């Protein structure tokens, strides 16, 4: 969808528009909320990048997306009994029920939070967002007998490196005023925010995070490319410090165990 959107901005034609709308419908039948997040992010991205930067073609496409969003929402409203129509049925009580259903097993987290009110949602967001970004934490596997967590450790540690380069890539994209990146950034942020609220289980959270994870590789690639080309000694020293700190934190439980055995 994002690729088609960018293609339509550069070369608006009916075939691309038809393909875009067909892809929207296909995603709608699978993950309705994901479609809303993507389309909404694209519209916000265009607004955020500046109205003056939007040409007639982009404006027409943005208007098409807004009408599409309204059409989907009205479609849900007038057909409330569809089996997969849960989007318009969500309220705080339903939100709490959905999250409670995920609080099962050893990999559950933040169990004592109640998100049946706005205050509860705001209170849980900071720690839940950290889980959405970085769980499972490597130190959780030391005392855990869950084989699932142990399998995910290597991939999670790799994600920490990718995340650092992704942040670097995002900064570079914003500095270079790459307006195409705004929609993608909004989608990544809103998707992680949604997962933070709904999920209370690391296993399910990790699996659903894959919907966002691969998109960060775009920014990570930009960060890695800049790092390899950079001759800035300061940048390399900063990254050396960050990587050293990460390894120290990751290996701290092992060092403590060795020290305990020696004593």
């Amino acid at each position: 969808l994002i690729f088609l959107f960018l293609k339509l901005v550069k070369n608006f034609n009916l075939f691309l528009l038809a393909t875009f709308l067909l892809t929207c419908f296909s995603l709608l039948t699978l993950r309705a909320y994901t479609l809303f997040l993507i389309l909404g992010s694209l519209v916000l991205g265009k607004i955020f990048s500046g109205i003056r930067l939007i040409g007639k073609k982009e404006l027409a496409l943005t208007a098409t997306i807004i009408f599409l969003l309204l059409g989907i929402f009205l479609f849900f409203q007038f057909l409330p009994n569809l089996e997969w129509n849960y989007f318009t049925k969500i309220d705080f009580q339903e939100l709490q029920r959905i999250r409670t259903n995920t609080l099962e097993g050893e990999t559950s987290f933040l169990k004592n939070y109640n998100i049946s009110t706005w205050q509860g949602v705001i209170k849980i967001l900071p720690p839940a967002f950290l889980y959405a970004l970085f769980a499972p934490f490597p130190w959780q596997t030391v005392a855990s007998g869950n084989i699932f967590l142990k399998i995910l450790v290597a991939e999670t540690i790799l994600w920490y490196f990718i995340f650092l380069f992704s942040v670097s890539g995002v900064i570079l994209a914003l500095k270079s005023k790459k307006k195409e990146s705004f929609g993608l950034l909004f989608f990544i942020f809103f998707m992680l925010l949604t997962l933070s609220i709904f999920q209370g289980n690391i296993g399910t959270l990790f699996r659903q995070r894959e919907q966002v994870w691969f998109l960060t590789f775009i920014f990570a690639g930009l960060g890695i490319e800049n790092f390899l080309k950079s001759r800035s000694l300061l940048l390399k020293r900063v990254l050396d410090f960050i990587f050293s700190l990460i390894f120290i934190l990751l290996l701290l439980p092992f060092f403590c165990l060795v020290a305990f055995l020696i004593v």
Side-chain angles (χ1 to χ4, degrees):
L1 280 174
I2 295 170
F3 172 75
L4 287 171
F5 178 82
L6 295 176
K7 292 287 286 183
L8 277 166
V9 167
K10 292 182 179 180
N11 182 27
F12 191 90
N13 63 65
L14 292 178
F15 175 76
L16 282 175
L17 180 61
T19 309
F20 178 81
L21 295 176
L22 181 62
T23 309
C24 287
F25 178 77
S26 300
L27 185 56
L28 174 64
T29 62
L30 298 173
R31 294 278 182 179
Y33 72 91
T34 306
L35 178 61
F36 268 88
L37 289 176
I38 290 179
L39 296 181
S41 298
L42 292 175
V43 172
L44 283 175
K46 284 302 170 189
I47 295 173
F48 191 78
S49 63
I51 296 296
R52 286 179 298 178
L53 300 176
I54 300 180
K56 292 181 179 179
K57 294 179 180 179
E58 292 173 293
L59 192 60
L61 183 57
T62 303
T64 301
I65 291 177
I66 292 175
F67 279 114
L68 181 62
L69 285 171
L70 291 173
I72 294 170
F73 187 76
L74 290 174
F75 177 74
F76 280 144
Q77 287 287 346
F78 287 112
L79 294 174
N81 296 321
L82 285 176
E83 183 179 351
W84 44 270
N85 176 19
Y86 52 83
F87 190 83
T88 56
K89 299 176 183 178
I90 292 292
D91 54 24
F92 284 119
Q93 296 299 325
E94 181 68 9
L95 194 63
Q96 175 65 26
R97 186 192 67 79
I98 293 173
R99 189 171 190 280
T100 301
N101 288 340
T102 68
L103 295 174
E104 297 179 357
E106 187 183 347
T107 62
S108 298
F109 61 92
L110 305 177
K111 298 180 180 180
N112 298 323
Y113 282 81
N114 189 317
I115 58 173
S116 58
T117 63
W118 271 114
Q119 292 81 358
V121 171
I122 293 172
K123 186 177 179 180
I124 199 177
L125 269 181
F129 197 74
L130 287 176
Y131 268 92
L133 277 175
F134 303 118
F137 301 106
W139 56 82
Q140 289 178 312
T141 66
V142 176
S144 173
N146 192 307
I147 189 65
F148 176 78
L149 286 180
K150 297 182 185 299
I151 292 173
L152 298 182
V153 170
E155 190 174 348
T156 305
I157 293 175
L158 175 62
W159 160 241
Y160 293 166
F161 287 98
I162 294 173
F163 176 78
L164 288 174
F165 283 114
S166 297
V167 171
S168 174
V170 167
I171 294 172
L172 288 169
L174 295 178
K175 282 184 176 180
S176 59
K177 298 180 180 179
K178 293 184 180 296
K179 60 179 181 177
E180 296 88 352
S181 66
F182 287 122
L184 187 58
L185 284 173
F186 274 115
F187 173 67
I188 292 172
F189 174 75
F190 287 131
M191 193 69 183
L192 285 172
L193 208 62
T194 302
L195 295 179
S196 302
I197 298 172
F198 275 87
Q199 292 301 328
N201 183 286
I202 291 177
T204 311
L205 176 64
F206 187 90
R207 176 175 58 82
Q208 294 199 351
R209 190 172 65 193
E210 299 289 337
Q211 299 176 65
V212 188
W213 202 341
F214 76 97
L215 293 175
T216 62
F217 295 170
I218 298 172
F219 295 101
L222 186 61
I224 292 171
E225 181 184 25
N226 181 72
F227 174 71
L228 294 176
K229 290 182 177 179
S230 173
R231 297 182 180 179
S232 170
L233 183 61
L234 177 61
L235 174 63
K236 291 182 179 179
R237 284 187 174 179
V238 169
L239 288 176
D240 286 341
F241 172 78
I242 292 174
F243 289 148
S244 300
L245 184 62
I246 290 175
F247 273 112
I248 290 173
L249 292 174
L250 292 178
L251 295 175
L252 187 59
F254 174 74
F255 291 152
C256 293
L257 178 62
V258 171
F260 174 78
L261 292 176
I262 293 175
V263 174

